Amino acid sequence: MDATITLLGPPGSGKGTQAARLRERHGFELLSSGDLLREARAAGTDLGLRAARYMDRGALVPDDVIVAVVLEAIERLADGPVVLDGFPRTVAQARALDRALGDRARGLDAAILIDVPDEEVVRRIVNRHHGRSDDTAETARERLRVYHRETEPLVEYYTERRLLRWIDGAREADAVEDDVRAALQ
Ligand code: AP5
Ligand code: MG
């Protein structure tokens, strides 16, 4: 069966960067929860407008909202390898993902944690100039607090299931990519 993996890590750790490389170089289909929300927002849908209020203050969009969006996207996936970027971010989301993948006779093959220290991620985010409304130093710090509180419990969740692969993300992107590839073997 084709691999299904998720990239975990603090904001600015390089999830989007590594997910794009998996798509371009290894043919993975990419499903990014943040990108889905930003697209909905740009399109001005009810979902996008609702999500914007949370995103702009660095908070998580409520589980029921994001789970509905991502599960719908999962239903549309083709049969090849898939990389999730930014989902799940809470234990409730991880349980919903397990159920949805089970329904499609898929399972999660690995949860790859790209670990980067707090000071480095804030530096990267404020230096990124993509015009994202949540890329101020203040919002980046709030996103980090939310990460430690809401998302870090997934490290234990996936360790217990023997799916966690830890990667030192505080190195250049090529070195991180080598480790991501090794984690897939
Ligand atoms: P999301 O879009 O997922 O943002 P994030 O997790 O805060 O992470 P970023 O996209 O900022 O960083 P990244 O890890 O992708 O790193 P990148 O590759 O860009 O979520 C945004 C918001 O949407 C959330 O706050 C929430 O409101 C909502 N949301 C999304 N998913 C949700 C969910 N599941 N539940 C609830 N709410 C949800 O890299 C960062 C920068 O560093 C770039 O400039 C890059 O070029 C650079 N860089 C990358 N790798 C390296 C490297 N190795 N060395 C040096 N620089 C590097
Ligand atoms: Mg990203």
Side-chain angles (χ1 to χ4, degrees):
M1 194 188 302
D2 281 310
T4 307
I5 66 168
T6 183
L7 301 181
L8 299 176
S13 57
K15 302 181 296 293
T17 300
Q18 296 299 328
R21 288 173 178 225
L22 286 170
R23 175 169 61 186
E24 281 149 28
R25 299 184 190 169
H26 303 284
F28 276 70
E29 193 168 348
L30 167 57
L31 207 169
S32 159
S33 51
D35 287 350
L36 286 174
L37 293 173
R38 281 183 288 275
E39 281 160 21
R41 191 174 173 166
T45 63
D46 285 349
L47 161 74
L49 297 177
R50 188 167 171 210
R53 297 202 301 269
Y54 296 93
M55 299 169 84
D56 285 349
R57 54 188 171 84
L60 293 184
V61 172
D63 282 336
D64 58 336
V65 175
I66 191 71
V67 164
V69 173
V70 173
L71 295 200
E72 191 190 282
I74 283 178
E75 302 221 329
R76 291 195 303 263
L77 288 172
D79 282 333
V82 173
V83 55
L84 301 170
D85 161 17
F87 186 92
R89 258 179 158 88
T90 64
V91 170
Q93 291 177 22
R95 293 190 201 286
L97 176 65
D98 286 344
R99 284 192 296 272
L101 291 176
D103 289 347
R104 288 217 44 184
R106 271 182 185 264
L108 196 66
D109 297 292
I112 299 179
L113 170 63
I114 304 177
D115 209 8
V116 177
D118 289 7
E119 323 79 71
E120 168 69 9
V121 303
V122 173
R123 194 164 37 236
R124 286 187 191 177
I125 288 172
V126 298
N127 285 330
R128 176 172 61 183
H129 300 292
H130 288 176
R132 264 174 58 172
S133 54
D134 58 349
D135 276 356
T136 63
E138 195 191 332
T139 312
R141 288 202 186 85
E142 177 59 17
R143 282 154 61 198
L144 257 177
R145 278 192 290 273
V146 168
Y147 171 77
H148 290 303
R149 193 175 63 230
E150 311 276 343
T151 306
E152 240 168 25
L154 290 179
V155 171
E156 189 185 332
Y157 182 90
Y158 287 124
T159 299
E160 282 170 354
R161 287 159 180 76
R162 296 172 164 271
L163 293 175
L164 194 84
R165 306 285 180 271
W166 183 91
I167 288 180
D168 177 4
R171 296 169 303 147
E172 57 176 59
D174 287 345
V176 177
E177 184 185 351
D178 287 344
D179 281 5
V180 169
R181 253 209 322 271
L184 296 176
Q185 301 310 309

